[in-house]
């Protein structure tokens, strides 16, 4: 791990850095950039929210567990999902299990796609599994797969028949949605298995298409499940799925697709180094080739020397892709404003505000090229606690769009486009602009906490 972090600075050759990174592999080698304890304590409101969450506890689950198979599915949800388990369990009872099974089905499919070793050089076997999963795995209550994935994902596949038995007890409309999305996603994943993604996707269209397969279809499936379970009206489903409703230029469908693409693009941008090391990257060459002018390789940006010309180009590429993602926000706001059920709204809102917070964090941030950037835990808790209404999420979108707008470098090639994207978000959310805080009081409280933290550290 030390070699992976320090050696690139001693190497003048970017290709040498790339060879080292790929030899080392990403797992356990990529640094996580998180705020220090002192930095987190400086945000008084977030500390309060975190303490309240810790001592009050999270809300209970709406899942009605009726047998051991359902208990297994609930247990596996908590094991394979760090971010979605809590919000899925908060969904209304009549669609809670449906969405849980939908998630586990797609997580199992994703595990097959991600395993780069189990199928050896015979990718045809992997392709067949991806293309037939909706029939084989969802059709046989005894189905299982061994030797694919690691840890909890491996267990999920080994005992997947238990998920199938729960799936087969769902209502026919829910089963139809899950099977259809699973089929189309499997076909899309199979299409990308044979592609060489060591240097990312080729074009912006291909980038959008990949995001559609792995996340846009999730947005569609959830939209259809919300209606199938009786929690959102047919008018909502029709408008959300209508390509004419989307204002973003991704060309992959309606508002539901924009919701999924926004989350997926945020993850892809944040995970640049981790994905590149794993030789399965997704930044589109059509974009990064404009900036990687020295070696003409996506790896040129990794561990770029601070304040160098290479780092400047890397940040310009990063900002280009962040701007592309920000242009999806108006569609996401429109989609969420159409939701009528409070628990469905909260389920959709939390990942979206986490995404806009992450984009603001990675914008023009050199840490993206040396590790994985994380938002503050206290901030995450505060967003979860205050994103239960349209005005609540608008406030967060306004806050982070304003933050990005204030940091746009005047010399950045995408500056005008970034300001336009942020300006549109600010215009749409102006009514929910957060009220100014008594800055001096916050400063005094932050200083007090900093002093306390210092003495606790040295004690």
């Amino acid at each position: 791990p030390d070699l992976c972090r320090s050696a690139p600075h001693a190497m003048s050759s970017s290709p040498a850095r790339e060879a080292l990174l790929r030899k080392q592999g990403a797992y356990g080698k990529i640094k996580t950039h998180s705020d220090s304890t002192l930095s987190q304590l400086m945000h008084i409101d977030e500390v309060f929210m975190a303490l309240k969450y810790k001592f009050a506890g999270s809300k209970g689950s709406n899942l009605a567990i009726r047998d051991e198979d359902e208990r297994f599915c609930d247990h596996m949800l908590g094991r394979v999902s760090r971010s979605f388990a809590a919000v899925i369990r908060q969904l209304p009872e009549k669609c809670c299990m449906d969405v849980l099974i939908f998630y586990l089905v797609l997580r199992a499919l994703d595990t097959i796609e991600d395993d780069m070793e189990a199928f050896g050089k015979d990718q045809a076997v992997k392709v067949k599994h991806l293309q037939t999963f909706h029939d084989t795995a969802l059709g046989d209550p005894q189905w299982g797969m061994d030797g694919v994935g690691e840890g909890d994902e491996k267990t999920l596949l080994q005992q997947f028949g238990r998920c199938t038995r729960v799936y087969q007890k769902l209502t026919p409309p829910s089963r139809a949605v899950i099977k259809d999305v699973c089929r189309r996603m499997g076909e899309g994943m199979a299409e990308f298995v044979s592609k060489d993604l060591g240097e990312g996707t080729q074009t912006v269209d291909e980038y959008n298409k990949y995001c559609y397969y792995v996340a846009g279809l999730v947005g569609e499936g959830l939209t259809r499940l919300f209606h199938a379970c009786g929690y959102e009206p047919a008018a909502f489903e029709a408008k959300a799925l209508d390509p004419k409703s989307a204002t973003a230029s991704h060309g992959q469908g309606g508002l539901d697709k924009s919701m999924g693409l926004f989350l997926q693009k945020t993850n892809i941008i944040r995970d640049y180094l981790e994905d590149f090391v794993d030789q399965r990257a997704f930044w589109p060459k059509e974009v990064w080739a404009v900036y990687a002018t020295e070696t003409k390789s996506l790896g040129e940006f990794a561990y770029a020397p601070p304040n160098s010309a290479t780092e400047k180009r890397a940040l310009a590429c990063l900002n280009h892709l962040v701007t592309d993602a920000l242009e999806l926000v108006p569609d996401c706001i429109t989609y969420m404003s159409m939701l009528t059920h409070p628990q469905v709204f909260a389920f959709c809102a939390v990942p979206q505000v986490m995404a806009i917070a992450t984009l603001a964090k990675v914008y023009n941030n050199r840490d993206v090229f040396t590790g994985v950037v994380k938002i503050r835990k206290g901030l995450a808790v505060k967003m979860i606690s205050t994103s239960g209404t349209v005005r609540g999420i608008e406030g967060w979108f306004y806050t982070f769009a304003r933050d990005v707008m204030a940091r746009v470098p005047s010399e950045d090639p995408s500056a005008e486009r970034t300001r336009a994207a942020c300006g549109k978000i600010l215009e749409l959310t102006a009514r929910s602009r957060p009220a100014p805080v008594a800055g001096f009081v916050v400063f005094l409280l932050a200083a007090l906490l900093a002093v306390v933290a210092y003495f606790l550290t040295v004690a």
Side-chain angles (χ1 to χ4, degrees), residues 178-300:
I178 294 170
K179 185 173 183 176
D180 177 53
V181 171
C182 180
R183 174 185 61 79
R184 292 157 62 198
M185 185 178 290
E187 291 174 351
M189 288 178 170
E191 179 182 328
F192 278 84
V193 162
S194 59
K195 294 180 182 291
D196 181 1
L197 296 173
E199 293 285 333
T201 51
Q202 289 298 306
T203 65
V204 172
D205 284 345
E206 188 177 62
Y207 174 53
N208 287 331
K209 189 175 184 180
Y210 177 79
C211 291
Y212 160 79
Y213 281 135
V214 301
L217 284 173
V218 178
E220 177 184 327
L222 289 171
T223 300
R224 292 166 62 188
L225 283 175
F226 296 152
H227 172 59
C229 293
Y231 290 104
E232 295 296 340
F236 159 78
E237 180 186 39
K239 185 174 181 179
L241 298 179
D242 185 358
K244 295 179 182 179
S245 297
T247 61
S249 59
H250 51 71
Q252 301 302 319
L255 301 171
D256 58 319
K257 307 305 188 303
S258 293
M259 289 279 286
L261 265 66
F262 183 61
L263 300 183
Q264 187 64 26
K265 287 188 173 185
T266 299
N267 290 340
I268 286 174
I269 294 167
R270 180 198 63 197
D271 295 341
Y272 157 80
L273 187 61
E274 194 170 68
D275 289 342
F276 175 73
V277 172
D278 280 338
Q279 301 185 54
R280 191 165 172 76
F282 303 97
W283 283 27
K285 186 174 183 179
E286 183 180 338
V287 173
W288 65 252
V290 174
Y291 304 97
T293 55
E294 181 182 345
T295 64
K296 303 187 186 305
S297 168
L298 179 58
E300 181 176 319

Side-chain angles (χ1 to χ4, degrees), residues 336-403:
M336 289 184 286
S337 68
M338 291 161 47
L339 294 165
T340 61
H341 195 285
Q343 290 167 304
V344 171
F345 177 87
F347 170 81
C348 295
V350 170
Q352 296 290 320
V353 295
M354 294 291 183
I356 187 69
T358 300
L359 285 180
K361 183 77 171 179
V362 301
Y363 181 78
N364 207 48
N365 188 344
R366 59 169 57 96
D367 286 346
V368 171
F369 304 104
T370 60
V372 178
V373 175
K374 300 286 187 180
I375 61 175
R376 295 187 304 274
K377 293 181 180 178
L379 176 59
V381 172
K382 184 179 179 182
M383 288 190 292
I384 291 171
S385 303
T386 56
S387 296
T389 65
V390 173
R391 297 294 288 267
I393 62 156
E394 285 181 351
W396 284 115
F397 278 106
Y398 186 96
T399 296
F400 292 117
R402 182 179 57 187
D403 175 55

Side-chain angles (χ1 to χ4, degrees), residues 3 11 24 47 80 83 143 150-151 167 171 181 256 271 328 350-351 353 374-375 395 413-414 421 442 444 448-449:
L3 178 63
M11 296 182 181
Q24 292 290 323
V47 173
V80 303
S83 54
W143 190 91
E150 296 181 356
Y167 161 80
T171 63
V181 171
D256 58 319
D271 295 341
L328 294 163
V350 170
V353 295
K374 300 286 187 180
I375 61 175
S414 303
V442 171
L444 287 179
L448 177 62
L449 269 180

